Amino acid sequence: MTEPNGFTQVTEGIGANSTSQANPYGPNPSDYLSNVNSFQLIESTLREGEQFANAFFDTEKKIEIAKALDDFGVDYIELTSPVASEQSRKDCEAICKLGLKAKILTHIRCHMDDAKVAVETGVDGVDVVIGTSQYLRQYSHGKDMNYIAKSAIEVIEFVKSKGIEIRFSSEDSFRSDLVDLLNIYRTVDKIGVNRVGIADTVGCANPRQVYELVRTLKSVVNCEIECHFHNDTGCAIANAYTALEGGAKLIDVSVLGIGERNGITPLGGLMARMIAADRDYVLSKYKLHKLRDLENLVAEAIQVNVPFNNPITGFCAFTHKAGIHAKAILANPSTYEILNPSDFGLTRYIHFANRLTGWNAIKSRVDQLNLDLSDEQCKEVTNKIKKLGDVRQLNIDDVDSIIKDFHANMGTPLLKPVDGPEVKKQKTL
Amino acid sequence: MTEPNGFTQVTEGIGANSTSQANPYGPNPSDYLSNVNSFQLIESTLREGEQFANAFFDTEKKIEIAKALDDFGVDYIELTSPVASEQSRKDCEAICKLGLKAKILTHIRCHMDDAKVAVETGVDGVDVVIGTSQYLRQYSHGKDMNYIAKSAIEVIEFVKSKGIEIRFSSEDSFRSDLVDLLNIYRTVDKIGVNRVGIADTVGCANPRQVYELVRTLKSVVNCEIECHFHNDTGCAIANAYTALEGGAKLIDVSVLGIGERNGITPLGGLMARMIAADRDYVLSKYKLHKLRDLENLVAEAIQVNVPFNNPITGFCAFTHKAGIHAKAILANPSTYEILNPSDFGLTRYIHFANRLTGWNAIKSRVDQLNLDLSDEQCKEVTNKIKKLGDVRQLNIDDVDSIIKDFHANMGTPLLKPVDGPEVKKQKTL
């Protein structure tokens, strides 16, 4: 592993980072409907993700991504509607023929024209969506709730007759009338959909709203609840988690969260949230050590950089800098880590080459260099390092030079002989 | 404004995006303690942000950032402890002398040695922190709760005697014993701190836990509550929002969220969340159109790219792609936007040069090109565009060529003359 400037990799002396006991507050006893410990993923990089501004996936790339998602362990893979374009239909058919473990879905408008094409592609299920907010009813399709219910029934019964899964979702659910929503959900539940979907299409929802709506819906329908959260106001991961607490079962995600505008709940970010909640379940289902490769695959395909502050795989997600943090991490990583980097095939670093460093971090570097300095001497050399760190950005070489010079000068006592000059001066830094 | 490939800027025919009525679910009546409409910001780019791996701010850069934050309108600016290094102390003094509108704070350990230096710097207040979780008590400072209370009382009384503000915060609050926490908070509240702080130091908290803890604490103390959320599991924005709902008043933020590991609640992301909740309040306090410059200033200083999917300022945060989205956005942007880009001095785009495009988006481009095509003709040319979009990634030139060719060929009837060849063939694409 490359060692970036100013960092050192820390692996020795560290026990398992058991997060299962980390949080004394634990699950809320009122969450008896919670699916935090039994959630499933609907991976939509090849549908929602294709709506990301930069995304153009050719057939070969789609197949590569689908295989990587399947290998990672996602439960469903959702594909662009086969009526979006001729090639979209062909790609959908091609991915259905791959024989993946994940079930393949396609995502269509609530319309028989689309449904008829979709069921012929070989998918395991169809995700149907229609706008239910006043905004979308007025400016998108122009239909009322009666028309929506009638179309939904027709499409659902048709898809069911083909023996494949069917999900009905409202669109812009959090700006839809609650009674309208519950009415249509109850109607489609009675016909026998596999899932109903709640979609925060514009990214306006907040966690407690999500919890309330999911809990309410849970008392109205018998089928599973799927949730889809856009990230315009930065709550897509938290909303997904809170939805699971409320009883939703399935969360829509995409790699790096790519989708319309700035996207939806990211796969990696949700993994971070869920492993903090139930490490055993997450590790039993998903190959977390493949997350970085998966993100790099998609990032390269859409020509973006993985964000510097990405959950888990951001370049400094496991880098500890301030002296007080470094000291505690060296004693026990659980002090300042809720995630264990090794669960993701990653490594933690102590960033000691800076003015915020402390003597514990420097002592650890001294040990790595196989030098012998007392605690007092480590404190002294730390002060020298902090002084240089006040002047400019440091790298490991700077720190190592200071330490080695200090050590080299130790062979000779620094006290002046009784009647002579200091024998050897320390180099000025 | 530069027009990226495949996009078109959309400004005409668009009314104000009134978000105040956007969400029929509205505030929860049980949130009578909510500060969603009256929150304050403690901006910590120059403290927490300095703990970001890449951060090295020299005096000049610190002053530039402090001035930009002040201009933006943050309520407090928090600085690195003056005991971190000699230059840290000098910089703290220099920023205190700038005469900014924002109050200046510095952040220290709960120790008299630190407090004595801090009060001499000229700050308006001191933020004191001490680890209260079992992890930190065992592996960081090694003290019990009695010792913590005793130190806290000494430091708080000393700082108060100097006539400046004092905050006491626990560290790793969500892994601390609840009774211990409430005890120490009640103790320091009785002495008369200005604020108590809750800190999710490891980023393990989830929104409903945050709400519960804030509500509980609100019933124990009379002072204001400040919250600090790390983003390891992607909930830092949502947790901040939920804390405000529960009655917290102040949120710690940093530009781009920079801080230890992958950081804390980002200023921009929280602005997105808060403007969706109370646009008038946010616009009255903060200069949102300076957000992008502020982020660019810090991103450049720490040598990172603004994440592609950053809230508000990510390059595609206001870009709409799928045909069904583009159609509705053209009719009314509120259909698929909870944020109005013009509030941030930004612009929305329709991405029409792709295979997911629809004829409404293409018709809008035809209009921009001042060409005259009927709806049926727009649908026809849209099919041609989608066909090419199936083969490769498109840019605006591709689409414009197809439209112009199509239009140019319209002058001549495409029907064959009765007894002759077709007069003019359309160009093959």
Side-chain angles (χ1 to χ4, degrees):
Chain A
M1 184 163 293
T2 317
E3 222 175 52
N5 274 354
F7 298 75
T8 184
Q9 189 174 323
V10 179
T11 48
E12 78 263 32
I14 284 160
N17 185 357
S18 166
T19 53
S20 54
Q21 295 192 306
N23 188 337
Y25 293 91
N28 190 323
S30 73
D31 294 345
Y32 52 89
L33 299 171
S34 168
N35 281 313
V36 163
N37 304 332
S38 55
F39 70 94
Q40 296 190 334
L41 295 178
I42 297 184
E43 222 294 339
S44 193
T45 300
L46 297 177
R47 195 283 292 177
E48 179 72 52
E50 210 180 356
Q51 293 174 226
F52 173 67
N54 264 26
F56 173 82
F57 303 126
D58 63 20
T59 308
E60 193 185 359
K61 190 55 71 180
K62 284 186 188 175
I63 288 174
E64 189 182 358
I65 292 171
K67 285 180 174 172
L69 291 171
D70 188 53
D71 184 42
F72 182 83
V74 304
D75 303 274
Y76 291 86
I77 294 173
E78 188 181 63
L79 306 177
T80 294
S81 170
V83 304
S85 73
E86 180 64 11
Q87 192 60 45
S88 299
R89 187 182 58 74
K90 288 181 186 162
D91 292 343
C92 183
E93 290 171 355
I95 291 169
C96 288
K97 286 188 186 127
L98 293 175
L100 302 179
K101 293 185 297 294
K103 289 184 184 173
I104 309 299
L105 304 170
T106 190
H107 180 264
I108 63 168
R109 294 170 297 187
C110 187
H111 199 290
M112 282 300 287
D113 292 350
D114 291 15
K116 283 176 184 163
V117 180
V119 299
E120 297 301 322
T121 56
V123 290
D124 300 299
V126 175
D127 285 348
V128 170
V129 67
I130 190 162
T132 45
S133 69
Q134 188 60 44
Y135 284 109
L136 292 180
R137 281 160 52 198
Q138 182 175 351
Y139 295 104
S140 177
H141 53 67
K143 312 298 188 190
D144 65 16
M145 291 305 293
N146 282 334
Y147 180 93
I148 291 173
K150 207 168 147 249
S151 316
I153 293 168
E154 188 185 11
V155 169
I156 292 164
E157 288 187 334
F158 171 72
V159 174
K160 275 174 62 78
S161 77
K162 300 292 178 179
I164 59 178
E165 289 190 18
I166 174 80
R167 179 213 71 187
F168 173 85
S169 181
S170 63
E171 194 184 2
D172 202 4
S173 315
F174 289 87
R175 297 192 301 175
S176 301
D177 179 83
L178 179 61
V179 181
D180 283 350
L181 273 189
L182 296 179
N183 258 319
I184 186 84
Y185 284 134
R186 184 167 60 185
T187 301
V188 300
D189 182 53
K190 279 187 183 157
I191 310 173
V193 292
N194 299 83
R195 308 183 297 281
V196 289
I198 292 172
D200 180 20
T201 308
V202 297
C204 69
N206 66 62
R208 290 172 59 245
Q209 283 177 335
V210 169
Y211 186 81
E212 289 303 317
L213 181 56
V214 171
R215 281 296 285 260
T216 304
L217 181 53
K218 195 78 183 168
S219 70
V220 170
V221 299
N222 292 306
C223 63
E224 299 293 0
I225 297 173
E226 168 185 341
C227 288
H228 180 90
F229 296 107
H230 276 263
N231 206 20
D232 300 74
T233 62
C235 293
I237 297 169
N239 284 343
Y241 183 78
T242 315
L244 295 174
E245 287 184 310
K249 174 87 172 178
L250 304 105
I251 301 294
D252 292 4
V253 295
S254 68
V255 176
L256 297 171
I258 60 169
E260 283 283 349
R261 306 186 307 282
N262 67 352
I264 63 167
T265 307
L267 171 64
L270 188 64
M271 289 294 96
R273 180 65 258 169
M274 300 317 298
I275 200 172
D278 190 338
R279 183 164 178 266
D280 291 343
Y281 179 72
V282 171
L283 290 179
S284 75
K285 278 197 75 175
Y286 304 109
K287 291 187 186 165
L288 297 186
H289 58 285
K290 304 235 170 158
L291 179 63
R292 187 159 63 170
D293 289 345
L294 187 52
E295 290 185 347
N296 288 342
L297 169 65
V298 172
E300 197 173 328
I302 60 174
Q303 298 173 288
V304 301
N305 296 309
V306 172
F308 77 90
N309 55 3
N310 207 46
I312 299 169
T313 56
F315 83 94
C316 52
F318 298 104
T319 298
H320 305 271
K321 181 167 168 185
I324 197 170
H325 285 231
K327 170 188 172 188
I329 281 287
L330 289 164
N332 180 344
S334 290
T335 48
Y336 284 103
E337 278 178 2
I338 194 69
L339 307 175
N340 185 343
S342 69
D343 283 345
F344 308 95
L346 302 173
T347 309
R348 72 176 55 82
Y349 292 91
I350 301 289
H351 187 304
F352 59 82
N354 65 81
R355 64 175 155 205
L356 305 181
T357 197
W359 73 270
N360 288 278
I362 298 302
K363 182 172 168 56
S364 141
R365 185 62 183 172
V366 168
D367 292 345
Q368 284 182 335
L369 295 172
N370 272 323
L371 299 176
D372 187 28
L373 294 181
S374 71
D375 287 357
E376 280 313 307
Q377 289 165 331
C378 285
K379 286 178 190 176
E380 205 178 321
V381 77
T382 299
N383 283 335
K384 293 178 183 293
I385 292 163
K386 287 169 88 80
K387 270 194 183 131
L388 187 61
D390 257 348
V391 180
R392 62 170 173 82
Q393 197 148 20
L394 306 179
N395 57 38
I396 290 189
D397 287 347
D398 296 321
V399 172
D400 287 356
S401 297
I402 297 173
I403 292 173
K404 286 172 185 165
D405 281 353
F406 184 91
H407 187 265
N409 286 307
M410 275 175 42
T412 319
L414 292 176
L415 292 174
K416 288 180 184 175
V418 178
D419 48 9
E422 190 176 308
V423 178
K424 192 172 180 184
K425 281 190 75 162
Q426 287 198 4
K427 278 186 195 166
T428 311
L429 296 171
Chain B
M1 184 161 288
T2 316
E3 221 175 50
N5 275 353
F7 298 76
T8 186
Q9 190 173 325
V10 178
T11 48
E12 77 266 31
I14 284 160
N17 186 355
S18 166
T19 53
S20 55
Q21 295 193 307
N23 190 336
Y25 293 92
N28 191 323
S30 73
D31 294 345
Y32 53 89
L33 299 171
S34 169
N35 281 313
V36 163
N37 305 332
S38 56
F39 69 95
Q40 297 190 332
L41 294 178
I42 297 184
E43 221 294 338
S44 193
T45 300
L46 297 176
R47 194 283 290 177
E48 179 72 51
E50 212 181 355
Q51 292 175 228
F52 172 68
N54 265 26
F56 172 82
F57 303 126
D58 63 21
T59 308
E60 191 185 359
K61 190 56 71 181
K62 282 186 188 175
I63 288 174
E64 188 182 357
I65 292 171
K67 285 180 173 172
L69 292 171
D70 188 52
D71 184 42
F72 183 82
V74 304
D75 303 273
Y76 291 86
I77 294 173
E78 188 180 64
L79 306 177
T80 294
S81 170
V83 304
S85 73
E86 180 63 10
Q87 192 60 45
S88 299
R89 186 181 58 71
K90 289 181 185 163
D91 293 343
C92 184
E93 290 171 355
I95 290 171
C96 288
K97 286 187 185 128
L98 293 175
L100 302 179
K101 293 185 297 295
K103 290 185 183 172
I104 309 299
L105 303 170
T106 189
H107 180 265
I108 62 168
R109 293 171 296 187
C110 188
H111 199 290
M112 280 301 286
D113 293 350
D114 292 14
K116 283 175 184 163
V117 179
V119 299
E120 298 301 323
T121 56
V123 291
D124 300 298
V126 175
D127 285 348
V128 169
V129 67
I130 190 161
T132 46
S133 69
Q134 187 59 43
Y135 284 110
L136 292 180
R137 282 160 52 197
Q138 183 174 352
Y139 296 104
S140 178
H141 53 70
K143 312 297 187 190
D144 64 16
M145 290 306 293
N146 282 335
Y147 179 92
I148 290 173
K150 207 167 147 252
S151 317
I153 292 169
E154 187 184 12
V155 169
I156 291 164
E157 288 185 334
F158 172 72
V159 174
K160 273 175 65 76
S161 77
K162 300 292 179 180
I164 60 177
E165 289 190 18
I166 174 82
R167 179 214 71 186
F168 174 85
S169 181
S170 64
E171 194 185 3
D172 202 3
S173 315
F174 290 88
R175 296 192 302 174
S176 300
D177 180 83
L178 179 61
V179 181
D180 283 350
L181 272 189
L182 296 179
N183 258 319
I184 185 83
Y185 284 134
R186 184 166 60 185
T187 301
V188 300
D189 182 53
K190 280 188 180 155
I191 309 172
V193 293
N194 300 82
R195 308 183 297 282
V196 288
I198 292 173
D200 180 21
T201 308
V202 297
C204 68
N206 67 62
R208 289 171 61 244
Q209 282 177 336
V210 169
Y211 185 82
E212 289 302 318
L213 182 56
V214 171
R215 280 297 285 259
T216 304
L217 181 54
K218 195 78 184 166
S219 69
V220 169
V221 299
N222 291 305
C223 63
E224 298 293 359
I225 297 172
E226 168 185 341
C227 288
H228 180 91
F229 296 107
H230 276 262
N231 206 19
D232 301 75
T233 61
C235 293
I237 297 170
N239 284 343
Y241 183 78
T242 314
L244 295 174
E245 287 185 309
K249 175 89 173 174
L250 305 104
I251 301 294
D252 292 4
V253 295
S254 69
V255 177
L256 297 172
I258 59 169
E260 283 282 351
R261 307 185 307 281
N262 67 353
I264 64 167
T265 307
L267 171 64
L270 188 63
M271 289 295 96
R273 180 64 256 167
M274 300 317 298
I275 200 173
D278 190 340
R279 183 165 177 265
D280 292 343
Y281 179 73
V282 171
L283 290 179
S284 75
K285 280 197 73 176
Y286 304 109
K287 291 188 188 165
L288 297 186
H289 58 286
K290 303 233 169 159
L291 178 64
R292 188 159 63 171
D293 289 346
L294 187 53
E295 290 185 346
N296 288 342
L297 169 66
V298 172
E300 199 173 327
I302 61 174
Q303 298 174 287
V304 301
N305 295 309
V306 171
F308 77 89
N309 54 3
N310 207 46
I312 299 170
T313 56
F315 84 94
C316 53
F318 297 104
T319 298
H320 305 271
K321 182 167 168 186
I324 197 170
H325 285 231
K327 171 188 171 188
I329 281 286
L330 288 164
N332 179 345
S334 291
T335 48
Y336 284 103
E337 278 177 2
I338 193 68
L339 307 174
N340 185 342
S342 68
D343 283 343
F344 309 95
L346 302 173
T347 309
R348 73 175 56 81
Y349 292 91
I350 302 289
H351 187 305
F352 58 81
N354 64 80
R355 65 176 156 204
L356 304 181
T357 198
W359 73 270
N360 290 277
I362 298 302
K363 182 175 170 54
S364 142
R365 185 61 183 172
V366 168
D367 293 345
Q368 285 181 334
L369 296 173
N370 273 322
L371 299 177
D372 186 29
L373 293 181
S374 70
D375 288 359
E376 281 312 308
Q377 288 165 331
C378 285
K379 287 177 188 175
E380 204 179 323
V381 78
T382 299
N383 283 335
K384 291 178 186 292
I385 292 162
K386 287 169 87 78
K387 268 192 184 135
L388 187 60
D390 257 349
V391 179
R392 63 170 171 82
Q393 197 147 20
L394 305 180
N395 57 39
I396 289 189
D397 288 347
D398 295 322
V399 171
D400 287 356
S401 298
I402 296 173
I403 292 173
K404 286 172 184 165
D405 282 352
F406 183 89
H407 186 266
N409 285 305
M410 274 174 43
T412 318
L414 292 174
L415 291 173
K416 287 181 187 177
V418 178
D419 49 10
E422 191 176 310
V423 179
K424 192 172 180 183
K425 281 191 76 164
Q426 288 198 4
K427 279 186 192 164
T428 312
L429 297 171

